[in-house]
Amino acid sequence: MTAVRPESGSRTGAATGATPSDSPSVSATGFPTGFLWGAATASYQVEGAATVHGRTPSIWDTFSHTPGKVRNGDTGDIAADHYHRYREDVALMKDLGLGAYRFSISWSRVQPTGRGPAVEQGLDFYRRLVDELLEAGITPVATLYHWDLPQELEDAGGWPLRDTAERFADYTALVAGALGDRVPMWTTLNEPWCSAFLGYGSGVHAPGRTEPAATLRAAHHLNLAHGKGVQVLRGLLPADAQTSITLNLHQVRPLTTSAEDADAARRIDEVGNRVFTGPILDGAYPEDLLRRTSSLVDWDELVKPGDLEAIATPIDVLGVNYYTPTIVSASDGAGDSRDDGHGASDHSPWTGSEDVAFHLAPGQRTAMNWAVDASGLHALLTQLHEEHPELPLMVTENGAAFDDYVSPEGRVEDPERIAYLHSHLEAVRQAVADGADVRGYFLWSLLDNFEWSYGYAKRFGTVYVDYATQRRIPKASAHWYADVIRRGGLPD
Ligand code: IFM
């Protein structure tokens, strides 16, 4: 998001089920009462158990097993073995005092071909996990899709194909039917921008396609899958269950005050953010984006009657993932640094705005080479609140990778992560003070895990995983976070 307003033509009025009077009051610590303190993971990144009980490959199994796609040839075959060690992991969460655990469901485990009936043994894993969480007093927050499309659906055309949205709605019904009585918070999709633009644009993510038109088609069908998914959830879940989507909103900043850089920022905001927030929250795609990409996609053919209404089905909360700001300028054609933080590729993911240059922010960096800048999280939350005052927000991911190691004494000291978390939680607190209705914060990630095309080379966990033994060691930041949770706020 930038300070630049969307073009007129986007309908306003947030499509949410909440009203401002539902907003919780703020406690003495500066965080709202009932604030959810959580941590998150995702199926392919932690579960392992890639072939048990008929689970078939997802696009990430195929991609990671393709030589050259993932650093060191790493795969999610075993990952953090969460599938077998979930009891130990839930016990760990309980020790940390987590109020909520955000996990995702592996579509290939539940419905291996992406069609037809569910595999009960696949659903049973999630039933056991959820029961264990509830027993430990931890709220389960389920994400239906965190990038691991069944390979058979990709073979049929993947997200650029409209039918995939229909398949997602059917899959949603299977999962909601099995877990709807015990999971109170549901997220349809995690970061559909990455699924569409990194999966079909730059190709650094599965399925590794580099087709600009397919990118936009995928984005629309992901939006449609979300809308249809919310409709299915609404029909099956108890009335008080919450529905949401999680977006990795780019906090876009122009490099200079020039009109050209402002225009570059506006365009990246459209193709990075408003391609999702437009239809989901305002019922329309940005007109300028449609115009600029009309040579790639026939939007009148792509967006069928009724699609926009389905996509704008009200949600109860918007999940926001934030790690670092995005700094852009108009390209001077002289080969500006093109590090947009999403992985190197000869193909730009920024369909329709390939000419924009990306710049590294100054200051401290994480192991991902991402700048540490908590002001971006504050700006995102407050801007969303300004544009959609009735929209409850949840920080569904925030955290940092650093080069963690186990000391000879068996400890993992991660002061940089503590500082990162502290500054970002302070940004959340400030956003709440400025009026944003933020309902929770999920640290990414509970465990070190498979960091997509970086494999196991990047450690985001607050709990260290020794992959050779699968031993878990809570890092210093885990103890720090446990203290924050106990206080219900930040230490002085
Ligand atoms: O690991 C990912 C996660 O799967 C989605 N959001 C960003 C994280 C860090 O890159």
Side-chain angles (χ1 to χ4, degrees):
M1 312 289 279
T2 69
V4 184
R5 293 262 157 217
E7 284 217 328
S8 61
S10 304
R11 204 158 52 67
T12 52
T16 73
T19 64
S21 56
D22 296 329
S23 303
S25 57
V26 175
S27 75
T29 62
F31 288 90
T33 47
F35 192 78
L36 272 187
W37 296 97
T41 64
S43 47
Y44 192 71
Q45 295 181 272
V46 296
E47 283 180 6
T51 53
V52 303
H53 301 313
R55 182 187 178 281
T56 53
S58 72
I59 54 176
W60 268 98
D61 293 87
T62 307
F63 192 74
S64 64
H65 280 269
T66 306
K69 297 295 186 191
V70 173
R71 198 173 285 189
N72 301 322
D74 290 342
T75 73
D77 288 0
I78 300 173
D81 198 26
H82 187 56
Y83 181 89
H84 295 111
R85 292 166 199 268
Y86 71 93
R87 281 203 178 86
E88 181 192 341
D89 292 337
V90 173
L92 229 142
M93 295 178 216
K94 192 174 177 190
D95 285 349
L96 297 180
L98 289 190
Y101 175 51
R102 174 176 178 252
F103 61 97
S104 81
I105 288 156
S106 158
W107 191 342
S108 300
R109 195 180 293 295
V110 164
Q111 193 191 30
T113 62
R115 297 168 205 279
V119 170
E120 284 304 317
Q121 284 151 317
L123 284 171
D124 281 346
F125 166 63
Y126 298 103
R127 290 190 180 102
R128 290 195 299 272
L129 171 64
V130 166
D131 287 349
E132 194 77 11
L133 289 166
L134 292 172
E135 181 71 19
I138 298 168
T139 301
V141 178
T143 298
L144 285 157
Y145 184 75
H146 194 124
W147 307 352
D148 41 1
L149 188 71
Q151 182 62 44
E152 281 204 26
L153 292 185
E154 173 56 30
D155 294 343
W159 285 111
L161 190 76
R162 186 178 175 89
D163 185 58
T164 307
E166 303 294 343
R167 302 283 63 76
F168 178 78
D170 289 354
Y171 154 71
T172 299
L174 295 178
V175 181
L179 301 175
D181 59 339
R182 50 197 120 171
V183 173
M185 302 189 74
W186 292 79
T187 301
T188 52
L189 309 176
N190 178 76
E191 300 184 355
W193 186 86
C194 297
S195 300
F197 292 85
L198 302 182
Y200 295 92
S202 66
V204 298
H205 278 193
R209 287 165 59 180
T210 51
E211 304 160 32
T215 303
L216 297 170
R217 299 185 70 83
H220 178 62
H221 295 141
L222 283 153
N223 278 330
L224 189 60
H226 156 74
K228 286 179 178 283
V230 174
Q231 291 176 340
V232 169
L233 290 173
R234 275 280 146 255
L236 290 173
L237 299 180
D240 58 353
Q242 303 223 312
T243 60
S244 66
I245 183 168
T246 279
L247 302 176
N248 57 316
L249 295 172
H250 300 82
Q251 206 270 315
V252 190
R253 301 176 183 172
L255 183 66
T256 71
T257 53
S258 73
E260 292 77 12
D261 289 358
D263 188 57
R266 185 186 59 76
R267 287 187 287 132
I268 293 303
D269 182 38
E270 281 180 0
V271 71
N273 299 323
R274 296 186 193 275
V275 64
F276 297 106
T277 56
I280 292 170
L281 300 178
D282 296 330
Y285 285 102
E287 282 176 3
D288 179 56
L289 178 71
L290 303 187
R291 215 175 16 248
R292 273 185 301 107
T293 55
S294 60
S295 62
L296 289 170
V297 162
D298 178 352
W299 286 94
D300 289 335
E301 176 273 329
L302 181 63
V303 182
K304 308 271 186 240
D307 282 7
L308 291 174
E309 289 70 18
I311 295 169
T313 304
I315 50 176
D316 299 295
V317 59
L318 178 69
V320 177
N321 291 357
Y322 172 82
Y323 290 88
T324 192
T326 302
I327 300 175
V328 301
S329 68
S331 174
D332 60 6
D336 276 320
S337 146
R338 287 199 54 94
D339 192 343
D340 65 3
H342 293 293
S345 168
D346 293 338
H347 302 267
S348 167
W350 303 98
T351 313
S353 281
E354 289 87 351
D355 57 334
V356 171
F358 289 78
H359 302 267
L360 288 171
Q364 197 204 348
R365 306 268 167 74
T366 70
M368 299 292 284
N369 208 23
W370 294 346
V372 178
D373 188 336
S375 70
L377 180 55
H378 175 266
L380 263 186
L381 296 172
T382 49
Q383 192 184 347
L384 279 165
H385 177 66
E386 263 171 41
E387 292 186 12
H388 301 283
E390 297 178 4
L391 181 62
L393 305 170
M394 185 93 86
V395 178
T396 37
E397 280 182 32
N398 176 242
F402 290 105
D403 296 326
D404 305 312
Y405 60 92
V406 185
S407 74
E409 296 75 35
R411 287 199 299 268
V412 182
E413 303 293 348
D414 56 345
E416 305 97 332
R417 184 173 289 102
I418 293 175
Y420 181 100
L421 297 173
H422 195 135
S423 61
H424 285 75
L425 279 167
E426 177 55 28
V428 174
R429 199 196 58 73
Q430 190 55 52
V432 169
D434 293 339
D437 180 2
V438 189
R439 303 276 171 105
Y441 175 91
F442 289 76
L443 190 162
W444 183 271
S445 174
L446 175 71
L447 302 169
D448 286 338
N449 60 50
F450 176 81
E451 177 54 24
W452 308 112
S453 54
Y454 296 90
Y456 298 100
K458 306 291 175 191
R459 292 182 177 271
F460 272 93
T462 193
V463 173
Y464 185 92
V465 176
D466 176 350
Y467 295 111
T469 61
Q470 291 294 348
R471 181 167 167 232
R472 275 72 165 137
I473 306 172
K475 302 176 189 175
S477 63
H479 301 297
W480 178 86
Y481 191 46
D483 184 48
V484 168
I485 297 172
R486 243 187 328 270
R487 293 166 189 260
L490 291 165
D492 290 339

PDB file of all heavy atoms in Angstrom, residues 47 67 75 97 194 199 229 244 266 274 310 321 340 350 370 398 435 483:
ATOM      1  N   GLU A  47       5.453 -30.000   7.756  1.00  0.00           N
ATOM      2  CA  GLU A  47       4.861 -31.319   8.040  1.00  0.00           C
ATOM      3  C   GLU A  47       5.756 -32.502   7.702  1.00  0.00           C
ATOM      4  O   GLU A  47       5.826 -33.472   8.459  1.00  0.00           O
ATOM      5  CB  GLU A  47       3.541 -31.485   7.272  1.00  0.00           C
ATOM      6  CG  GLU A  47       2.385 -30.740   7.899  1.00  0.00           C
ATOM      7  CD  GLU A  47       1.099 -30.923   7.105  1.00  0.00           C
ATOM      8  OE1 GLU A  47       1.067 -31.722   6.135  1.00  0.00           O
ATOM      9  OE2 GLU A  47       0.111 -30.253   7.449  1.00  0.00           O
ATOM     10  N   PRO A  67      15.751 -30.518 -10.178  1.00  0.00           N
ATOM     11  CA  PRO A  67      17.103 -29.986  -9.926  1.00  0.00           C
ATOM     12  C   PRO A  67      17.212 -28.502 -10.274  1.00  0.00           C
ATOM     13  O   PRO A  67      16.686 -28.052 -11.293  1.00  0.00           O
ATOM     14  CB  PRO A  67      17.985 -30.840 -10.847  1.00  0.00           C
ATOM     15  CG  PRO A  67      17.217 -32.111 -11.048  1.00  0.00           C
ATOM     16  CD  PRO A  67      15.756 -31.716 -11.017  1.00  0.00           C
ATOM     17  N   THR A  75      14.114 -30.434  -0.070  1.00  0.00           N
ATOM     18  CA  THR A  75      12.689 -30.677  -0.339  1.00  0.00           C
ATOM     19  C   THR A  75      11.932 -30.661   0.987  1.00  0.00           C
ATOM     20  O   THR A  75      12.547 -30.682   2.063  1.00  0.00           O
ATOM     21  CB  THR A  75      12.462 -32.059  -0.976  1.00  0.00           C
ATOM     22  OG1 THR A  75      12.661 -33.069   0.048  1.00  0.00           O
ATOM     23  CG2 THR A  75      13.403 -32.329  -2.153  1.00  0.00           C
ATOM     24  N   GLY A  97       3.125 -20.336  26.131  1.00  0.00           N
ATOM     25  CA  GLY A  97       1.922 -19.576  26.471  1.00  0.00           C
ATOM     26  C   GLY A  97       1.178 -19.050  25.259  1.00  0.00           C
ATOM     27  O   GLY A  97       0.380 -18.111  25.366  1.00  0.00           O
ATOM     28  N   CYS A 194       1.912 -14.197  -4.002  1.00  0.00           N
ATOM     29  CA  CYS A 194       3.051 -15.095  -4.268  1.00  0.00           C
ATOM     30  C   CYS A 194       2.615 -16.246  -5.165  1.00  0.00           C
ATOM     31  O   CYS A 194       3.332 -16.618  -6.101  1.00  0.00           O
ATOM     32  CB  CYS A 194       3.630 -15.626  -2.956  1.00  0.00           C
ATOM     33  SG  CYS A 194       4.309 -14.333  -1.910  1.00  0.00           S
ATOM     34  N   GLY A 199       4.653 -17.653  -8.734  1.00  0.00           N
ATOM     35  CA  GLY A 199       4.440 -18.989  -9.287  1.00  0.00           C
ATOM     36  C   GLY A 199       4.302 -19.006 -10.800  1.00  0.00           C
ATOM     37  O   GLY A 199       4.774 -19.925 -11.472  1.00  0.00           O
ATOM     38  N   GLY A 229     -14.784 -19.706  -1.500  1.00  0.00           N
ATOM     39  CA  GLY A 229     -14.421 -20.377  -0.248  1.00  0.00           C
ATOM     40  C   GLY A 229     -15.143 -19.739   0.936  1.00  0.00           C
ATOM     41  O   GLY A 229     -15.672 -20.445   1.801  1.00  0.00           O
ATOM     42  N   SER A 244     -11.439 -15.134   6.852  1.00  0.00           N
ATOM     43  CA  SER A 244     -10.462 -14.105   6.483  1.00  0.00           C
ATOM     44  C   SER A 244      -9.669 -14.560   5.273  1.00  0.00           C
ATOM     45  O   SER A 244      -9.797 -15.696   4.808  1.00  0.00           O
ATOM     46  CB  SER A 244      -9.501 -13.864   7.648  1.00  0.00           C
ATOM     47  OG  SER A 244      -8.717 -15.015   7.865  1.00  0.00           O
ATOM     48  N   ARG A 266       2.707   3.930  -7.387  1.00  0.00           N
ATOM     49  CA  ARG A 266       1.265   3.710  -7.567  1.00  0.00           C
ATOM     50  C   ARG A 266       1.019   2.435  -8.367  1.00  0.00           C
ATOM     51  O   ARG A 266       0.154   1.624  -8.037  1.00  0.00           O
ATOM     52  CB  ARG A 266       0.646   4.917  -8.280  1.00  0.00           C
ATOM     53  CG  ARG A 266      -0.864   4.859  -8.425  1.00  0.00           C
ATOM     54  CD  ARG A 266      -1.380   6.020  -9.275  1.00  0.00           C
ATOM     55  NE  ARG A 266      -0.801   6.030 -10.620  1.00  0.00           N
ATOM     56  CZ  ARG A 266      -1.171   5.202 -11.592  1.00  0.00           C
ATOM     57  NH1 ARG A 266      -2.094   4.295 -11.381  1.00  0.00           N
ATOM     58  NH2 ARG A 266      -0.591   5.272 -12.791  1.00  0.00           N
ATOM     59  N   ARG A 274      -3.512  -3.882  -4.742  1.00  0.00           N
ATOM     60  CA  ARG A 274      -4.922  -3.601  -5.045  1.00  0.00           C
ATOM     61  C   ARG A 274      -5.534  -4.583  -6.031  1.00  0.00           C
ATOM     62  O   ARG A 274      -6.751  -4.620  -6.198  1.00  0.00           O
ATOM     63  CB  ARG A 274      -5.074  -2.152  -5.504  1.00  0.00           C
ATOM     64  CG  ARG A 274      -4.689  -1.185  -4.389  1.00  0.00           C
ATOM     65  CD  ARG A 274      -4.955   0.269  -4.712  1.00  0.00           C
ATOM     66  NE  ARG A 274      -4.282   1.118  -3.740  1.00  0.00           N
ATOM     67  CZ  ARG A 274      -4.787   1.459  -2.557  1.00  0.00           C
ATOM     68  NH1 ARG A 274      -5.978   1.024  -2.193  1.00  0.00           N
ATOM     69  NH2 ARG A 274      -4.112   2.231  -1.735  1.00  0.00           N
ATOM     70  N   ALA A 310     -19.073 -12.354  -5.839  1.00  0.00           N
ATOM     71  CA  ALA A 310     -18.597 -13.499  -5.040  1.00  0.00           C
ATOM     72  C   ALA A 310     -17.304 -13.132  -4.317  1.00  0.00           C
ATOM     73  O   ALA A 310     -17.138 -13.422  -3.124  1.00  0.00           O
ATOM     74  CB  ALA A 310     -18.364 -14.709  -5.948  1.00  0.00           C
ATOM     75  N   ASN A 321       0.375  -9.840   6.302  1.00  0.00           N
ATOM     76  CA  ASN A 321       1.747 -10.317   6.514  1.00  0.00           C
ATOM     77  C   ASN A 321       2.708  -9.199   6.134  1.00  0.00           C
ATOM     78  O   ASN A 321       2.585  -8.620   5.052  1.00  0.00           O
ATOM     79  CB  ASN A 321       2.047 -11.537   5.632  1.00  0.00           C
ATOM     80  CG  ASN A 321       1.276 -12.772   6.070  1.00  0.00           C
ATOM     81  OD1 ASN A 321       0.555 -12.747   7.070  1.00  0.00           O
ATOM     82  ND2 ASN A 321       1.426 -13.848   5.325  1.00  0.00           N
ATOM     83  N   ASP A 340      13.926  -6.980  -5.690  1.00  0.00           N
ATOM     84  CA  ASP A 340      12.619  -6.703  -5.094  1.00  0.00           C
ATOM     85  C   ASP A 340      12.371  -7.589  -3.880  1.00  0.00           C
ATOM     86  O   ASP A 340      11.276  -7.617  -3.343  1.00  0.00           O
ATOM     87  CB  ASP A 340      11.496  -6.867  -6.131  1.00  0.00           C
ATOM     88  CG  ASP A 340      11.346  -8.306  -6.612  1.00  0.00           C
ATOM     89  OD1 ASP A 340      12.065  -9.181  -6.116  1.00  0.00           O
ATOM     90  OD2 ASP A 340      10.496  -8.545  -7.486  1.00  0.00           O
ATOM     91  N   TRP A 350       6.244  -8.478 -11.846  1.00  0.00           N
ATOM     92  CA  TRP A 350       5.379  -7.292 -11.753  1.00  0.00           C
ATOM     93  C   TRP A 350       4.667  -7.049 -13.090  1.00  0.00           C
ATOM     94  O   TRP A 350       4.903  -6.047 -13.765  1.00  0.00           O
ATOM     95  CB  TRP A 350       6.202  -6.076 -11.322  1.00  0.00           C
ATOM     96  CG  TRP A 350       6.892  -6.336 -10.020  1.00  0.00           C
ATOM     97  CD1 TRP A 350       8.187  -6.733  -9.832  1.00  0.00           C
ATOM     98  CD2 TRP A 350       6.314  -6.268  -8.716  1.00  0.00           C
ATOM     99  NE1 TRP A 350       8.448  -6.903  -8.486  1.00  0.00           N
ATOM    100  CE2 TRP A 350       7.321  -6.631  -7.783  1.00  0.00           C
ATOM    101  CE3 TRP A 350       5.031  -5.936  -8.238  1.00  0.00           C
ATOM    102  CZ2 TRP A 350       7.082  -6.669  -6.407  1.00  0.00           C
ATOM    103  CZ3 TRP A 350       4.807  -5.978  -6.873  1.00  0.00           C
ATOM    104  CH2 TRP A 350       5.818  -6.332  -5.984  1.00  0.00           C
ATOM    105  N   TRP A 370      16.557  -8.538   3.694  1.00  0.00           N
ATOM    106  CA  TRP A 370      15.419  -7.640   3.798  1.00  0.00           C
ATOM    107  C   TRP A 370      15.726  -6.590   4.865  1.00  0.00           C
ATOM    108  O   TRP A 370      16.243  -6.936   5.940  1.00  0.00           O
ATOM    109  CB  TRP A 370      14.149  -8.400   4.204  1.00  0.00           C
ATOM    110  CG  TRP A 370      13.668  -9.388   3.167  1.00  0.00           C
ATOM    111  CD1 TRP A 370      14.053  -9.491   1.866  1.00  0.00           C
ATOM    112  CD2 TRP A 370      12.706 -10.434   3.378  1.00  0.00           C
ATOM    113  NE1 TRP A 370      13.391 -10.522   1.243  1.00  0.00           N
ATOM    114  CE2 TRP A 370      12.561 -11.124   2.137  1.00  0.00           C
ATOM    115  CE3 TRP A 370      11.941 -10.866   4.465  1.00  0.00           C
ATOM    116  CZ2 TRP A 370      11.686 -12.201   1.977  1.00  0.00           C
ATOM    117  CZ3 TRP A 370      11.081 -11.937   4.311  1.00  0.00           C
ATOM    118  CH2 TRP A 370      10.949 -12.596   3.074  1.00  0.00           C
ATOM    119  N   ASN A 398       4.787 -12.138  10.829  1.00  0.00           N
ATOM    120  CA  ASN A 398       5.835 -11.128  10.949  1.00  0.00           C
ATOM    121  C   ASN A 398       7.003 -11.806  11.664  1.00  0.00           C
ATOM    122  O   ASN A 398       6.796 -12.542  12.623  1.00  0.00           O
ATOM    123  CB  ASN A 398       5.329  -9.921  11.777  1.00  0.00           C
ATOM    124  CG  ASN A 398       6.408  -8.885  12.016  1.00  0.00           C
ATOM    125  OD1 ASN A 398       6.780  -8.602  13.155  1.00  0.00           O
ATOM    126  ND2 ASN A 398       6.927  -8.307  10.952  1.00  0.00           N
ATOM    127  N   GLY A 435      -5.715   4.072  16.290  1.00  0.00           N
ATOM    128  CA  GLY A 435      -7.108   3.758  15.925  1.00  0.00           C
ATOM    129  C   GLY A 435      -7.309   2.471  15.154  1.00  0.00           C
ATOM    130  O   GLY A 435      -8.454   2.058  14.938  1.00  0.00           O
ATOM    131  N   ASP A 483       7.467 -14.142  27.503  1.00  0.00           N
ATOM    132  CA  ASP A 483       7.338 -13.094  28.516  1.00  0.00           C
ATOM    133  C   ASP A 483       6.365 -12.002  28.044  1.00  0.00           C
ATOM    134  O   ASP A 483       5.537 -11.512  28.816  1.00  0.00           O
ATOM    135  CB  ASP A 483       8.737 -12.508  28.788  1.00  0.00           C
ATOM    136  CG  ASP A 483       8.716 -11.479  29.885  1.00  0.00           C
ATOM    137  OD1 ASP A 483       8.123 -11.770  30.946  1.00  0.00           O
ATOM    138  OD2 ASP A 483       9.262 -10.372  29.680  1.00  0.00           O
TER     139      ASP A 483
END
